[in-house]
Amino acid sequence: MRDRVSVLFTEEQIARRVAELGEEITRSFEGREICVLGLMKGGLVFMSDLIRRIPLDLTVHLVRVTSQREQAAGRILTEIVYSTSVPLEGKDVLLVDDIVDTGITLSYLLAHIHEHGPASLRVCALVDKPEARKIDVHPDWTAFPVHEPMADRFLVGYGLDWMERFRGLPFIGTIPRPAPR
Ligand code: IMP
Ligand code: MG
């Protein structure tokens, strides 16, 4: 299966971007402790590289969200299915997201986190597909904005999956966009 994947961003490109983002984030949070909240599972690889590029005091937490498309009603149900227990109140939270596509997952998660009263809330995304947006949300930092026609391909690797596969690829690649189920 791996031979069907075309490379979009190499390991070297990713390492360079992660280092740049680490510097920007470090400058922005200087003197404060960051509460890093990683979005599972897609954001895990990115988060683990990124936190090693942020030489500040930080704590690490995880959250998992699933979305189910209710075909008949045309609705998308989003819910938090797992979260490490983390008191977010008064914390400077950095949410590390994998892909912002329609924005539905991210906007849901932001609303949920806001309810817990963090002092601040910023978002760092690995990939942003701004043309696919249905809800107007914007990450504060993005490693790789992906525009047409690449936004039309399905991204895998470096934590990103298709049907749980390809997460272990060290680069970000694409496969032909699978037909909607
Ligand atoms: P959204 O709620 O439509 O913004 O979807 C975001 C989620 O969809 C991400 O967290 C990914 O899990 C998934 N996703 C969207 N596009 C891709 C892709 O190209 N490859 C892998 N996962 C994707
Ligand atoms: Mg996924």
Side-chain angles (χ1 to χ4, degrees):
M1 274 186 124
R2 290 167 72 120
D3 53 0
R4 291 187 9 229
V5 182
S6 338
V7 179
L8 182 60
F9 302 112
T10 64
E11 266 190 271
E12 292 73 24
Q13 284 174 299
I14 296 172
R16 223 175 302 129
R17 268 310 278 151
V18 169
E20 285 169 4
L21 287 174
E23 281 177 23
E24 288 178 32
I25 291 169
T26 301
R27 248 180 275 129
S28 158
F29 283 90
E30 201 81 67
R32 290 181 285 160
E33 184 182 270
I34 314 179
C35 175
V36 178
L37 190 57
L39 183 61
M40 293 205 299
K41 305 174 196 167
L44 284 185
V45 177
F46 179 42
M47 183 190 76
S48 57
D49 280 347
L50 187 62
I51 56 175
R52 284 177 286 174
R53 292 293 181 164
I54 303 175
L56 299 176
D57 288 337
L58 55 81
T59 59
V60 173
H61 311 274
L62 298 169
V63 64
R64 179 148 159 72
V65 172
T66 54
S67 294
Q68 262 147 26
R69 232 157 274 258
E70 264 194 298
Q71 295 291 9
R75 279 186 304 165
I76 295 177
L77 295 179
T78 306
E79 68 172 332
I80 293 184
V81 291
Y82 171 82
S83 172
T84 49
S85 68
V86 39
L88 297 170
E89 195 181 334
K91 298 284 169 58
D92 292 303
V93 178
L94 176 67
L95 178 65
V96 180
D97 197 350
D98 58 349
I99 300 191
V100 188
D101 191 32
T102 62
I104 290 169
T105 309
L106 179 57
S107 67
Y108 173 85
L109 205 48
L110 290 178
H112 174 84
I113 296 169
H114 273 302
E115 278 176 21
H116 292 264
S120 68
L121 175 54
R122 317 285 293 274
V123 178
C124 181
L126 176 62
V127 172
D128 187 8
K129 299 177 174 180
E131 280 91 20
R133 209 66 100 249
K134 290 192 176 137
I135 296 183
D136 195 28
V137 279
H138 303 278
D140 299 279
W141 295 276
T142 299
F144 300 105
V146 172
H147 298 282
E148 305 291 349
M150 265 309 159
D152 231 35
R153 305 259 308 170
F154 205 73
L155 273 59
V156 295
Y158 196 66
L160 309 175
D161 75 305
W162 171 72
M163 305 262 287
E164 297 298 329
R165 298 195 181 90
F166 303 113
R167 291 196 199 272
L169 294 177
F171 56 87
I172 297 174
T174 69
I175 55 173
R177 180 168 273 284
R181 279 177 297 147

Short mmCIF file of all heavy atoms in Angstrom, two decimals, residues 34-99:
data_model
loop_
_atom_site.label_atom_id
_atom_site.label_comp_id
_atom_site.label_asym_id
_atom_site.label_seq_id
_atom_site.Cartn_x
_atom_site.Cartn_y
_atom_site.Cartn_z
N ILE A 34 3.18 26.46 29.11
CA ILE A 34 2.18 26.09 28.10
C ILE A 34 1.52 24.76 28.47
O ILE A 34 2.19 23.81 28.88
CB ILE A 34 2.79 25.92 26.70
CG1 ILE A 34 3.75 27.06 26.36
CG2 ILE A 34 1.70 25.81 25.64
CD1 ILE A 34 4.41 26.92 25.00
N CYS A 35 0.22 24.73 28.29
CA CYS A 35 -0.52 23.50 28.44
C CYS A 35 -0.81 23.01 27.02
O CYS A 35 -1.67 23.54 26.33
CB CYS A 35 -1.81 23.83 29.19
SG CYS A 35 -2.94 22.48 29.37
N VAL A 36 -0.01 22.04 26.57
CA VAL A 36 -0.15 21.54 25.20
C VAL A 36 -1.22 20.46 25.16
O VAL A 36 -1.17 19.50 25.92
CB VAL A 36 1.19 20.96 24.68
CG1 VAL A 36 1.03 20.41 23.27
CG2 VAL A 36 2.29 22.02 24.72
N LEU A 37 -2.19 20.66 24.28
CA LEU A 37 -3.29 19.70 24.16
C LEU A 37 -3.24 19.12 22.75
O LEU A 37 -3.51 19.81 21.77
CB LEU A 37 -4.61 20.44 24.42
CG LEU A 37 -5.88 19.63 24.58
CD1 LEU A 37 -5.75 18.59 25.69
CD2 LEU A 37 -7.05 20.57 24.87
N GLY A 38 -2.84 17.85 22.67
CA GLY A 38 -2.68 17.21 21.36
C GLY A 38 -3.96 16.51 20.94
O GLY A 38 -4.58 15.81 21.73
N LEU A 39 -4.32 16.71 19.68
CA LEU A 39 -5.52 16.06 19.15
C LEU A 39 -5.14 14.68 18.61
O LEU A 39 -4.32 14.56 17.70
CB LEU A 39 -6.13 16.94 18.05
CG LEU A 39 -7.42 16.46 17.43
CD1 LEU A 39 -8.52 16.36 18.48
CD2 LEU A 39 -7.85 17.41 16.32
N MET A 40 -5.74 13.67 19.22
CA MET A 40 -5.45 12.29 18.80
C MET A 40 -6.35 11.91 17.62
O MET A 40 -7.47 12.38 17.54
CB MET A 40 -5.76 11.32 19.94
CG MET A 40 -4.83 11.48 21.11
SD MET A 40 -4.72 9.94 22.05
CE MET A 40 -6.38 9.69 22.55
N LYS A 41 -5.93 10.96 16.83
CA LYS A 41 -4.57 10.44 16.88
C LYS A 41 -3.69 11.19 15.89
O LYS A 41 -2.47 11.10 15.95
CB LYS A 41 -4.56 8.96 16.50
CG LYS A 41 -5.46 8.09 17.32
CD LYS A 41 -5.48 6.66 16.75
CE LYS A 41 -6.64 5.86 17.29
NZ LYS A 41 -6.81 4.61 16.52
N GLY A 42 -4.31 11.89 14.97
CA GLY A 42 -3.58 12.51 13.85
C GLY A 42 -2.51 13.50 14.25
O GLY A 42 -1.53 13.69 13.53
N GLY A 43 -2.67 14.15 15.42
CA GLY A 43 -1.71 15.18 15.81
C GLY A 43 -0.55 14.68 16.63
O GLY A 43 0.33 15.45 17.02
N LEU A 44 -0.52 13.36 16.90
CA LEU A 44 0.47 12.82 17.85
C LEU A 44 1.92 12.98 17.39
O LEU A 44 2.78 13.37 18.17
CB LEU A 44 0.19 11.34 18.11
CG LEU A 44 -0.99 11.02 19.05
CD1 LEU A 44 -1.05 9.52 19.29
CD2 LEU A 44 -0.86 11.77 20.35
N VAL A 45 2.18 12.63 16.14
CA VAL A 45 3.57 12.67 15.66
C VAL A 45 4.05 14.11 15.60
O VAL A 45 5.15 14.45 16.06
CB VAL A 45 3.67 11.99 14.27
CG1 VAL A 45 5.09 12.10 13.73
CG2 VAL A 45 3.23 10.53 14.35
N PHE A 46 3.19 14.98 15.07
CA PHE A 46 3.50 16.41 14.99
C PHE A 46 3.76 16.98 16.38
O PHE A 46 4.76 17.67 16.61
CB PHE A 46 2.32 17.12 14.30
CG PHE A 46 2.46 18.60 14.15
CD1 PHE A 46 3.67 19.18 13.77
CD2 PHE A 46 1.36 19.43 14.36
CE1 PHE A 46 3.77 20.56 13.62
CE2 PHE A 46 1.46 20.80 14.20
CZ PHE A 46 2.67 21.37 13.84
N MET A 47 2.87 16.67 17.33
CA MET A 47 3.02 17.20 18.67
C MET A 47 4.34 16.75 19.31
O MET A 47 5.04 17.53 19.93
CB MET A 47 1.85 16.78 19.56
CG MET A 47 1.94 17.39 20.94
SD MET A 47 0.74 16.71 22.08
CE MET A 47 1.49 15.13 22.44
N SER A 48 4.67 15.46 19.11
CA SER A 48 5.87 14.97 19.78
C SER A 48 7.13 15.60 19.21
O SER A 48 8.09 15.84 19.93
CB SER A 48 5.93 13.44 19.76
OG SER A 48 5.90 12.99 18.44
N ASP A 49 7.13 15.95 17.93
CA ASP A 49 8.28 16.67 17.37
C ASP A 49 8.27 18.13 17.82
O ASP A 49 9.31 18.69 18.17
CB ASP A 49 8.25 16.61 15.83
CG ASP A 49 8.80 15.29 15.31
OD1 ASP A 49 9.41 14.54 16.10
OD2 ASP A 49 8.62 15.02 14.10
N LEU A 50 7.08 18.74 17.80
CA LEU A 50 6.97 20.17 18.11
C LEU A 50 7.39 20.50 19.54
O LEU A 50 8.12 21.46 19.77
CB LEU A 50 5.53 20.62 17.86
CG LEU A 50 5.25 22.12 17.97
CD1 LEU A 50 6.05 22.91 16.93
CD2 LEU A 50 3.75 22.40 17.82
N ILE A 51 6.94 19.69 20.52
CA ILE A 51 7.26 20.03 21.92
C ILE A 51 8.77 19.98 22.18
O ILE A 51 9.26 20.67 23.06
CB ILE A 51 6.51 19.15 22.95
CG1 ILE A 51 6.78 17.67 22.72
CG2 ILE A 51 5.02 19.45 22.94
CD1 ILE A 51 6.16 16.75 23.79
N ARG A 52 9.48 19.21 21.36
CA ARG A 52 10.93 19.16 21.56
C ARG A 52 11.64 20.36 20.95
O ARG A 52 12.84 20.52 21.06
CB ARG A 52 11.49 17.86 20.98
CG ARG A 52 11.17 16.69 21.90
CD ARG A 52 11.62 15.38 21.35
NE ARG A 52 10.77 14.93 20.27
CZ ARG A 52 11.01 13.86 19.53
NH1 ARG A 52 12.10 13.16 19.74
NH2 ARG A 52 10.17 13.51 18.58
N ARG A 53 10.87 21.22 20.27
CA ARG A 53 11.40 22.47 19.70
C ARG A 53 10.91 23.69 20.48
O ARG A 53 11.00 24.80 20.00
CB ARG A 53 10.96 22.58 18.23
CG ARG A 53 11.63 21.55 17.35
CD ARG A 53 13.09 21.86 17.28
NE ARG A 53 13.83 20.93 16.45
CZ ARG A 53 15.05 21.19 16.00
NH1 ARG A 53 15.64 22.33 16.30
NH2 ARG A 53 15.68 20.32 15.28
N ILE A 54 10.30 23.44 21.64
CA ILE A 54 9.80 24.54 22.47
C ILE A 54 10.46 24.44 23.85
O ILE A 54 10.01 23.70 24.71
CB ILE A 54 8.25 24.47 22.61
CG1 ILE A 54 7.58 24.49 21.23
CG2 ILE A 54 7.74 25.64 23.47
CD1 ILE A 54 6.07 24.30 21.27
N PRO A 55 11.58 25.16 24.04
CA PRO A 55 12.32 25.02 25.30
C PRO A 55 11.72 25.86 26.43
O PRO A 55 12.39 26.68 27.04
CB PRO A 55 13.72 25.51 24.92
CG PRO A 55 13.50 26.47 23.80
CD PRO A 55 12.27 26.03 23.08
N LEU A 56 10.43 25.67 26.68
CA LEU A 56 9.74 26.35 27.78
C LEU A 56 9.14 25.29 28.69
O LEU A 56 9.08 24.11 28.32
CB LEU A 56 8.59 27.22 27.24
CG LEU A 56 8.94 28.35 26.27
CD1 LEU A 56 7.65 29.02 25.79
CD2 LEU A 56 9.86 29.38 26.93
N ASP A 57 8.67 25.71 29.88
CA ASP A 57 7.96 24.77 30.73
C ASP A 57 6.63 24.45 30.05
O ASP A 57 5.90 25.35 29.65
CB ASP A 57 7.66 25.40 32.10
CG ASP A 57 8.93 25.52 32.93
OD1 ASP A 57 9.89 24.76 32.66
OD2 ASP A 57 8.96 26.38 33.83
N LEU A 58 6.34 23.17 29.92
CA LEU A 58 5.05 22.80 29.33
C LEU A 58 4.56 21.48 29.90
O LEU A 58 5.33 20.66 30.39
CB LEU A 58 5.14 22.75 27.80
CG LEU A 58 6.18 21.88 27.10
CD1 LEU A 58 5.74 20.43 27.02
CD2 LEU A 58 6.39 22.40 25.68
N THR A 59 3.25 21.30 29.84
CA THR A 59 2.64 20.03 30.19
C THR A 59 1.94 19.51 28.95
O THR A 59 1.58 20.30 28.06
CB THR A 59 1.64 20.16 31.35
OG1 THR A 59 0.61 21.09 30.97
CG2 THR A 59 2.30 20.65 32.62
N VAL A 60 1.76 18.19 28.86
CA VAL A 60 1.21 17.58 27.66
C VAL A 60 -0.06 16.80 27.99
O VAL A 60 -0.08 16.02 28.94
CB VAL A 60 2.24 16.63 27.01
CG1 VAL A 60 1.63 15.85 25.86
CG2 VAL A 60 3.45 17.41 26.53
N HIS A 61 -1.08 17.04 27.21
CA HIS A 61 -2.37 16.36 27.40
C HIS A 61 -2.92 15.95 26.04
O HIS A 61 -2.46 16.44 25.01
CB HIS A 61 -3.34 17.29 28.11
CG HIS A 61 -2.74 17.91 29.33
ND1 HIS A 61 -2.74 17.31 30.55
CD2 HIS A 61 -2.02 19.06 29.47
CE1 HIS A 61 -2.08 18.07 31.41
NE2 HIS A 61 -1.63 19.13 30.78
N LEU A 62 -3.89 15.06 26.08
CA LEU A 62 -4.44 14.54 24.82
C LEU A 62 -5.96 14.60 24.82
O LEU A 62 -6.60 14.44 25.86
CB LEU A 62 -4.01 13.08 24.63
CG LEU A 62 -2.51 12.84 24.52
CD1 LEU A 62 -2.21 11.35 24.61
CD2 LEU A 62 -1.98 13.41 23.21
N VAL A 63 -6.51 14.80 23.66
CA VAL A 63 -7.95 14.77 23.51
C VAL A 63 -8.27 14.04 22.20
O VAL A 63 -7.47 14.07 21.26
CB VAL A 63 -8.54 16.20 23.53
CG1 VAL A 63 -8.07 17.02 22.37
CG2 VAL A 63 -10.05 16.18 23.61
N ARG A 64 -9.38 13.32 22.20
CA ARG A 64 -9.76 12.60 20.99
C ARG A 64 -11.20 12.95 20.64
O ARG A 64 -12.08 12.96 21.50
CB ARG A 64 -9.63 11.10 21.23
CG ARG A 64 -10.03 10.24 20.05
CD ARG A 64 -9.20 8.97 20.05
NE ARG A 64 -9.79 7.89 19.29
CZ ARG A 64 -9.85 7.86 17.97
NH1 ARG A 64 -9.40 8.85 17.26
NH2 ARG A 64 -10.37 6.81 17.36
N VAL A 65 -11.40 13.25 19.39
CA VAL A 65 -12.73 13.66 18.92
C VAL A 65 -13.12 12.77 17.75
O VAL A 65 -12.28 12.42 16.94
CB VAL A 65 -12.65 15.14 18.42
CG1 VAL A 65 -13.94 15.56 17.75
CG2 VAL A 65 -12.34 16.08 19.58
N THR A 66 -14.38 12.39 17.69
CA THR A 66 -14.83 11.69 16.48
C THR A 66 -15.97 12.46 15.86
O THR A 66 -16.73 13.13 16.54
CB THR A 66 -15.37 10.27 16.75
OG1 THR A 66 -16.39 10.36 17.74
CG2 THR A 66 -14.29 9.33 17.17
N SER A 67 -16.07 12.34 14.56
CA SER A 67 -17.18 12.95 13.83
C SER A 67 -17.91 11.84 13.09
O SER A 67 -17.29 10.99 12.48
CB SER A 67 -16.68 13.96 12.82
OG SER A 67 -16.10 15.04 13.50
N GLN A 68 -19.23 11.88 13.18
CA GLN A 68 -20.01 10.93 12.41
C GLN A 68 -20.97 11.68 11.53
O GLN A 68 -21.65 12.59 11.98
CB GLN A 68 -20.81 10.03 13.36
CG GLN A 68 -20.14 8.69 13.59
CD GLN A 68 -20.40 8.18 14.99
OE1 GLN A 68 -21.40 8.52 15.58
NE2 GLN A 68 -19.50 7.37 15.49
N ARG A 69 -20.95 11.30 10.28
CA ARG A 69 -21.86 11.95 9.36
C ARG A 69 -23.18 11.23 9.42
O ARG A 69 -23.24 10.02 9.25
CB ARG A 69 -21.29 11.84 7.94
CG ARG A 69 -21.18 13.15 7.22
CD ARG A 69 -20.15 13.06 6.11
NE ARG A 69 -18.82 13.34 6.66
CZ ARG A 69 -18.22 14.51 6.52
NH1 ARG A 69 -18.80 15.48 5.86
NH2 ARG A 69 -17.02 14.71 7.03
N GLU A 70 -24.22 11.95 9.73
CA GLU A 70 -25.56 11.36 9.69
C GLU A 70 -26.09 11.60 8.30
O GLU A 70 -26.63 12.65 8.00
CB GLU A 70 -26.45 12.05 10.72
CG GLU A 70 -26.55 11.32 12.04
CD GLU A 70 -27.70 11.87 12.86
OE1 GLU A 70 -27.66 13.05 13.20
OE2 GLU A 70 -28.63 11.12 13.12
N GLN A 71 -25.91 10.58 7.47
CA GLN A 71 -26.18 10.77 6.04
C GLN A 71 -27.58 11.33 5.78
O GLN A 71 -27.74 12.33 5.11
CB GLN A 71 -26.03 9.43 5.30
CG GLN A 71 -24.63 8.88 5.30
CD GLN A 71 -23.65 9.68 4.45
OE1 GLN A 71 -23.97 10.77 3.97
NE2 GLN A 71 -22.45 9.17 4.26
N ALA A 72 -28.57 10.68 6.38
CA ALA A 72 -29.96 11.04 6.09
C ALA A 72 -30.24 12.50 6.45
O ALA A 72 -30.79 13.26 5.67
CB ALA A 72 -30.91 10.11 6.81
N ALA A 73 -29.83 12.87 7.65
CA ALA A 73 -30.14 14.21 8.12
C ALA A 73 -29.14 15.24 7.59
O ALA A 73 -29.33 16.44 7.74
CB ALA A 73 -30.13 14.22 9.64
N GLY A 74 -28.05 14.75 6.96
CA GLY A 74 -27.04 15.67 6.44
C GLY A 74 -26.32 16.41 7.56
O GLY A 74 -25.73 17.46 7.36
N ARG A 75 -26.36 15.85 8.79
CA ARG A 75 -25.71 16.51 9.91
C ARG A 75 -24.39 15.84 10.23
O ARG A 75 -24.19 14.68 9.90
CB ARG A 75 -26.59 16.42 11.16
CG ARG A 75 -27.68 17.47 11.19
CD ARG A 75 -28.39 17.38 12.51
NE ARG A 75 -28.92 16.04 12.76
CZ ARG A 75 -29.33 15.63 13.96
NH1 ARG A 75 -29.23 16.41 14.99
NH2 ARG A 75 -29.83 14.42 14.11
N ILE A 76 -23.53 16.55 10.89
CA ILE A 76 -22.30 15.92 11.35
C ILE A 76 -22.30 15.99 12.87
O ILE A 76 -22.44 17.06 13.45
CB ILE A 76 -21.07 16.63 10.77
CG1 ILE A 76 -21.06 16.44 9.25
CG2 ILE A 76 -19.79 16.07 11.38
CD1 ILE A 76 -19.94 17.15 8.55
N LEU A 77 -22.19 14.84 13.50
CA LEU A 77 -22.16 14.79 14.95
C LEU A 77 -20.71 14.71 15.40
O LEU A 77 -19.99 13.82 14.98
CB LEU A 77 -22.89 13.54 15.46
CG LEU A 77 -24.40 13.47 15.20
CD1 LEU A 77 -24.95 12.17 15.76
CD2 LEU A 77 -25.10 14.66 15.83
N THR A 78 -20.33 15.62 16.23
CA THR A 78 -18.95 15.62 16.72
C THR A 78 -19.00 15.41 18.22
O THR A 78 -19.81 16.02 18.89
CB THR A 78 -18.28 16.96 16.40
OG1 THR A 78 -18.42 17.20 15.01
CG2 THR A 78 -16.82 16.94 16.75
N GLU A 79 -18.16 14.53 18.72
CA GLU A 79 -18.12 14.39 20.18
C GLU A 79 -16.72 14.04 20.67
O GLU A 79 -15.92 13.45 19.95
CB GLU A 79 -19.14 13.36 20.67
CG GLU A 79 -18.82 11.94 20.28
CD GLU A 79 -19.74 10.93 20.95
OE1 GLU A 79 -20.24 11.21 22.05
OE2 GLU A 79 -19.95 9.86 20.35
N ILE A 80 -16.47 14.45 21.90
CA ILE A 80 -15.19 14.14 22.51
C ILE A 80 -15.29 12.75 23.11
O ILE A 80 -16.19 12.49 23.92
CB ILE A 80 -14.85 15.19 23.58
CG1 ILE A 80 -14.61 16.52 22.87
CG2 ILE A 80 -13.64 14.76 24.41
CD1 ILE A 80 -14.17 17.64 23.73
N VAL A 81 -14.44 11.83 22.68
CA VAL A 81 -14.56 10.47 23.16
C VAL A 81 -13.48 10.10 24.17
O VAL A 81 -13.56 9.09 24.82
CB VAL A 81 -14.55 9.44 22.00
CG1 VAL A 81 -15.81 9.56 21.18
CG2 VAL A 81 -13.33 9.60 21.14
N TYR A 82 -12.47 10.93 24.27
CA TYR A 82 -11.41 10.63 25.23
C TYR A 82 -10.69 11.92 25.57
O TYR A 82 -10.49 12.76 24.71
CB TYR A 82 -10.40 9.64 24.64
CG TYR A 82 -9.19 9.46 25.50
CD1 TYR A 82 -9.21 8.59 26.58
CD2 TYR A 82 -8.03 10.19 25.26
CE1 TYR A 82 -8.10 8.45 27.39
CE2 TYR A 82 -6.92 10.04 26.06
CZ TYR A 82 -6.97 9.18 27.13
OH TYR A 82 -5.88 9.04 27.93
N SER A 83 -10.33 12.06 26.81
CA SER A 83 -9.54 13.22 27.18
C SER A 83 -8.75 12.88 28.42
O SER A 83 -9.29 12.29 29.35
CB SER A 83 -10.47 14.41 27.43
OG SER A 83 -9.73 15.47 27.95
N THR A 84 -7.45 13.20 28.43
CA THR A 84 -6.70 13.03 29.68
C THR A 84 -7.22 14.13 30.61
O THR A 84 -7.55 15.21 30.14
CB THR A 84 -5.18 13.17 29.44
OG1 THR A 84 -4.93 14.36 28.69
CG2 THR A 84 -4.62 11.99 28.69
N SER A 85 -7.30 13.83 31.90
CA SER A 85 -7.92 14.81 32.78
C SER A 85 -6.98 15.99 32.92
O SER A 85 -5.83 15.85 33.30
CB SER A 85 -8.22 14.19 34.15
OG SER A 85 -7.01 13.92 34.80
N VAL A 86 -7.47 17.15 32.56
CA VAL A 86 -6.61 18.31 32.54
C VAL A 86 -7.42 19.54 32.96
O VAL A 86 -8.40 19.88 32.32
CB VAL A 86 -5.95 18.50 31.15
CG1 VAL A 86 -6.91 18.18 30.03
CG2 VAL A 86 -5.40 19.89 30.96
N PRO A 87 -7.01 20.16 34.08
CA PRO A 87 -7.70 21.39 34.48
C PRO A 87 -7.22 22.53 33.58
O PRO A 87 -6.07 22.96 33.68
CB PRO A 87 -7.25 21.59 35.94
CG PRO A 87 -6.11 20.67 36.15
CD PRO A 87 -5.87 19.83 34.94
N LEU A 88 -8.08 22.98 32.67
CA LEU A 88 -7.66 23.99 31.69
C LEU A 88 -7.85 25.41 32.21
O LEU A 88 -7.33 26.36 31.63
CB LEU A 88 -8.48 23.82 30.40
CG LEU A 88 -8.28 22.50 29.66
CD1 LEU A 88 -9.32 22.34 28.56
CD2 LEU A 88 -6.88 22.42 29.08
N GLU A 89 -8.57 25.54 33.33
CA GLU A 89 -8.89 26.86 33.84
C GLU A 89 -7.64 27.67 34.14
O GLU A 89 -6.73 27.20 34.84
CB GLU A 89 -9.75 26.74 35.10
CG GLU A 89 -10.42 28.04 35.46
CD GLU A 89 -11.26 27.92 36.72
OE1 GLU A 89 -11.71 26.80 37.03
OE2 GLU A 89 -11.44 28.95 37.39
N GLY A 90 -7.58 28.87 33.58
CA GLY A 90 -6.46 29.78 33.83
C GLY A 90 -5.18 29.40 33.12
O GLY A 90 -4.14 30.03 33.32
N LYS A 91 -5.22 28.36 32.28
CA LYS A 91 -4.00 27.90 31.60
C LYS A 91 -3.83 28.56 30.23
O LYS A 91 -4.81 28.97 29.61
CB LYS A 91 -4.05 26.38 31.39
CG LYS A 91 -4.13 25.59 32.68
CD LYS A 91 -2.77 25.53 33.36
CE LYS A 91 -2.83 24.99 34.77
NZ LYS A 91 -3.39 23.65 34.87
N ASP A 92 -2.59 28.64 29.80
CA ASP A 92 -2.30 29.08 28.44
C ASP A 92 -2.24 27.82 27.58
O ASP A 92 -1.27 27.08 27.62
CB ASP A 92 -0.97 29.84 28.39
CG ASP A 92 -1.07 31.17 29.11
OD1 ASP A 92 -1.95 31.98 28.73
OD2 ASP A 92 -0.30 31.41 30.06
N VAL A 93 -3.30 27.61 26.83
CA VAL A 93 -3.47 26.34 26.12
C VAL A 93 -3.01 26.47 24.67
O VAL A 93 -3.34 27.43 23.98
CB VAL A 93 -4.95 25.88 26.16
CG1 VAL A 93 -5.14 24.58 25.39
CG2 VAL A 93 -5.41 25.70 27.61
N LEU A 94 -2.24 25.47 24.24
CA LEU A 94 -1.87 25.36 22.82
C LEU A 94 -2.44 24.05 22.31
O LEU A 94 -1.97 22.96 22.67
CB LEU A 94 -0.34 25.37 22.65
CG LEU A 94 0.15 25.18 21.21
CD1 LEU A 94 -0.24 26.37 20.32
CD2 LEU A 94 1.66 24.97 21.16
N LEU A 95 -3.43 24.16 21.46
CA LEU A 95 -4.04 22.97 20.86
C LEU A 95 -3.25 22.59 19.61
O LEU A 95 -3.04 23.43 18.72
CB LEU A 95 -5.50 23.27 20.51
CG LEU A 95 -6.29 22.16 19.82
CD1 LEU A 95 -6.45 20.94 20.73
CD2 LEU A 95 -7.66 22.67 19.38
N VAL A 96 -2.78 21.34 19.56
CA VAL A 96 -2.03 20.89 18.39
C VAL A 96 -2.91 19.96 17.56
O VAL A 96 -3.26 18.86 17.98
CB VAL A 96 -0.71 20.19 18.80
CG1 VAL A 96 0.05 19.72 17.57
CG2 VAL A 96 0.16 21.15 19.60
N ASP A 97 -3.28 20.46 16.38
CA ASP A 97 -4.26 19.80 15.53
C ASP A 97 -3.57 19.19 14.32
O ASP A 97 -2.49 19.63 13.93
CB ASP A 97 -5.26 20.88 15.08
CG ASP A 97 -6.56 20.29 14.54
OD1 ASP A 97 -6.62 19.06 14.35
OD2 ASP A 97 -7.49 21.07 14.31
N ASP A 98 -4.19 18.17 13.72
CA ASP A 98 -3.57 17.60 12.52
C ASP A 98 -3.98 18.37 11.27
O ASP A 98 -3.18 19.09 10.69
CB ASP A 98 -3.83 16.08 12.40
CG ASP A 98 -5.31 15.71 12.36
OD1 ASP A 98 -6.18 16.57 12.64
OD2 ASP A 98 -5.61 14.55 12.04
N ILE A 99 -5.26 18.24 10.88
CA ILE A 99 -5.70 18.90 9.65
C ILE A 99 -6.94 19.72 9.93
O ILE A 99 -7.88 19.22 10.55
CB ILE A 99 -6.05 17.87 8.55
CG1 ILE A 99 -4.84 17.01 8.21
CG2 ILE A 99 -6.58 18.57 7.31
CD1 ILE A 99 -5.02 16.17 6.97
#
